[in-house]
Amino acid sequence: MVAGCLLAAGSADAQPCLPLGCPSLAVADGQGFDFPDPDDFQPDRRPGIMLNLFGGSCWNPPSGGPQWWQVLSDGDANGVADAVDELLLQLDSLYDEGWRRIILKLPAGALSGYLMASSQWWAMPPVKREDLSVHLRAWIHTHPDATVGIYSGFRINDPCRLCMAPCETCSDCGEGGGCTMCPTCDDSPVAHVPDTASAADMCIFYNNVAPWIALEVYEIWFDAAGGAKVENWDSMLRLAGNPDYRGRVRFAAEPLIVAAGPGWKYPVFGVIGRIPFVSSRRYYAARGAERQGAPWTFDAQETEIHVMLRSDDFCVDADADDAEECTACPDWCQGPEVAIDVVHEYIQRGYIPVAASSQSAGYVRRILDIDAEGVACPADLDVDGIVDMQDVARLSMHLGMSGGATLYHGDVDLDDDVDVLDYLLLVAMLGTGCG
């Protein structure tokens, strides 16, 4: 039993926290468990969508998430907390749209955008844990062709709390708005990367992930578990090789591992074929590979590299009427972009898209024909909110395509090609607003 876990932090009311014991856990000697064997790795090439339960640091503690995720009352008296009811409705909606790989981002929340604890179970109120144990597990069982995962922090600490550092390092995230982070950080040690050769660390890690495995989640993605820090990705890979979890859940790391070299940094190809990796599109672009004209490439059949598509991952000109090519764009941008073309390029290069906003979900659905019949305003090919001559021009580029066409190419009538009928249907909708 992990000591010191009596209360779930972040609330004035006592919230019982009863971590699991750690019987017969595997503990490695020396450095830790071996890395997973590449021959055993089976990449999953399905696109994903992220359901955000982290609404910003001021929504927590104790449990993070958008406003609906905070409602623990049972307004409809069906015996399930309204937060969990809404989660199930949203899962149903995503499933109906054709998504079969759904990732819950930070179910218990975080102390800020940069302090994402791996403790995403015990830090939630008991009613939420109890309802998830029954109803999320039931949803997974009744949708066997879909999978649910979670996105969590990587560093470990007290599994009952979201604490990552002592109180003196915390601050009021609301600038006087009353959402001080310090109460959840009092007397907490600094969180650290799991040591796979430590019995104590393996017990904490087990308490963080075992409840999710019991719900039969498919995968757990760990924030800040890859990148350039050897300590992080070494631990991540060794955890993936831990026999306690092998075959029971998939572990994925963020961001993509890179190795130091002259000039820019590039992926470590001997590592990325062992577990999944995910990074934001901005991460890939900011690394500068595109600037050099040498995009990161990899064997898509032997690796699983995701590109997470958030609303801030694209170069949007803040003032299209001025003389500057891209006003207020990030410094890695080369100019304003047509976002759906950016997404298409990444997919063509072998990246697996993960939609992290409603707009990026629209891009992915059009490109990959995910429930194309249910896509609103299909003639808005560039998803800019109106059917105009730009859409006509885009369709014209693919006119005559005889197979494999999607909404991205202009297959408005969904018959797998782009022909005159598609052109006439689009022209008939010119001027239609799609907001």
Side-chain angles (χ1 to χ4, degrees):
M1 181 71 72
V2 177
C5 296
L6 301 178
L7 301 178
S11 172
D13 300 321
Q15 301 283 2
C17 176
L18 303 172
L20 308 168
C22 297
S24 305
L25 284 184
V27 178
D29 296 327
Q31 273 193 305
F33 304 101
D34 291 335
F35 288 2
D37 191 325
D39 292 337
D40 297 330
F41 180 49
Q42 298 296 321
D44 184 340
R45 305 288 306 169
R46 296 176 302 158
I49 190 164
M50 191 165 283
L51 180 50
N52 183 30
L53 301 180
F54 170 52
S57 55
C58 288
W59 282 114
N60 55 65
S63 59
Q67 292 188 29
W68 60 265
W69 187 233
Q70 305 300 313
V71 182
L72 300 182
S73 57
D74 182 13
D76 57 4
N78 69 342
V80 183
D82 290 339
V84 176
D85 273 334
E86 178 63 25
L87 174 65
L88 298 175
L89 287 174
Q90 296 219 17
L91 289 173
D92 284 339
S93 177
L94 293 174
Y95 184 88
D96 290 344
E97 288 181 1
W99 298 97
R100 295 297 181 264
R101 188 177 195 174
I102 304 169
I103 301 96
L104 309 180
K105 182 179 180 182
L106 297 176
L111 294 183
S112 80
Y114 301 99
L115 294 174
M116 298 181 179
S118 59
S119 178
Q120 295 293 320
W121 180 259
W122 298 106
M124 289 189 291
V127 64
K128 194 178 286 185
R129 300 198 305 262
E130 292 163 6
D131 285 347
L132 286 173
S133 294
V134 175
H135 299 288
L136 179 57
R137 190 169 187 268
W139 193 94
I140 293 170
H141 271 219
T142 54
H143 297 77
D145 59 336
T147 60
V148 175
I150 70 164
Y151 188 97
S152 172
F154 185 50
R155 291 176 177 261
I156 61 171
N157 209 333
D158 181 347
C160 295
R161 309 195 294 176
L162 295 176
C163 297
M164 297 290 283
C167 182
E168 57 266 22
T169 65
C170 299
S171 63
D172 184 347
C173 65
E175 299 180 355
C179 54
T180 304
M181 293 189 286
C182 288
T184 63
C185 295
D186 285 335
D187 303 318
S188 174
V190 176
H192 61 278
V193 172
D195 178 358
T196 59
S198 163
D201 279 11
M202 289 300 91
C203 186
I204 294 172
F205 187 81
Y206 174 80
N207 275 277
N208 285 338
V209 304
W212 296 105
I213 296 174
L215 266 61
E216 300 185 33
V217 301
Y218 172 68
E219 56 195 340
I220 301 177
W221 292 6
F222 292 103
D223 181 87
K229 294 184 178 179
V230 174
E231 173 195 19
N232 288 24
W233 60 258
D234 183 278
S235 175
M236 180 72 253
L237 286 167
R238 294 186 189 283
L239 284 168
N242 183 333
D244 287 331
Y245 308 113
R246 193 183 306 131
R248 300 179 63 201
V249 68
R250 306 172 91 239
F251 289 149
E254 183 279 335
L256 180 67
I257 288 177
V258 293
W264 297 101
K265 299 179 180 181
Y266 294 91
V268 179
F269 294 102
V271 171
I272 61 175
R274 298 174 187 268
I275 63 171
F277 287 89
V278 58
S279 301
S280 68
R281 185 262 165 157
R282 179 170 54 178
Y283 174 88
Y284 295 125
R287 285 295 179 185
E290 288 89 335
R291 293 184 187 180
Q292 287 194 341
W296 291 357
T297 58
F298 42 84
D299 186 338
Q301 300 308 310
E302 296 183 3
T303 56
E304 186 180 332
I305 312 298
H306 300 258
V307 56
M308 190 159 47
L309 303 163
R310 306 174 305 198
S311 57
D312 60 350
D313 281 331
F314 302 98
C315 307
V316 178
D317 191 350
D319 186 356
D321 295 326
D322 68 5
E324 293 185 43
E325 181 183 12
C326 199
T327 304
C329 288
D331 58 8
W332 48 264
C333 287
Q334 297 299 297
E337 305 167 327
V338 178
I340 194 169
D341 290 337
V342 173
V343 177
H344 182 262
E345 179 193 0
Y346 274 85
I347 292 173
Q348 291 297 105
R349 286 161 54 185
Y351 290 87
I352 304 164
V354 179
S357 69
S358 58
Q359 190 155 33
S360 63
Y363 303 149
V364 176
R365 289 181 68 189
R366 282 170 165 81
I367 295 169
L368 297 180
D369 260 355
I370 298 175
D371 186 34
E373 295 85 354
V375 170
C377 206
D380 180 16
L381 303 185
D382 57 5
V383 202
D384 66 352
I386 187 170
V387 181
D388 55 18
M389 291 306 297
Q390 293 180 3
D391 298 305
V392 174
R394 293 174 68 81
L395 184 149
S396 298
M397 287 192 303
H398 299 103
L399 196 60
M401 190 172 179
S402 59
T406 70
L407 284 175
Y408 171 79
H409 303 102
D411 180 23
V412 182
D413 62 1
L414 307 180
D415 65 352
D416 207 36
D417 62 20
V418 182
D419 56 17
V420 173
L421 181 55
D422 295 300
Y423 182 87
L424 294 175
L425 287 171
L426 191 152
V427 169
M429 296 180 67
L430 276 174
T432 303
C434 303

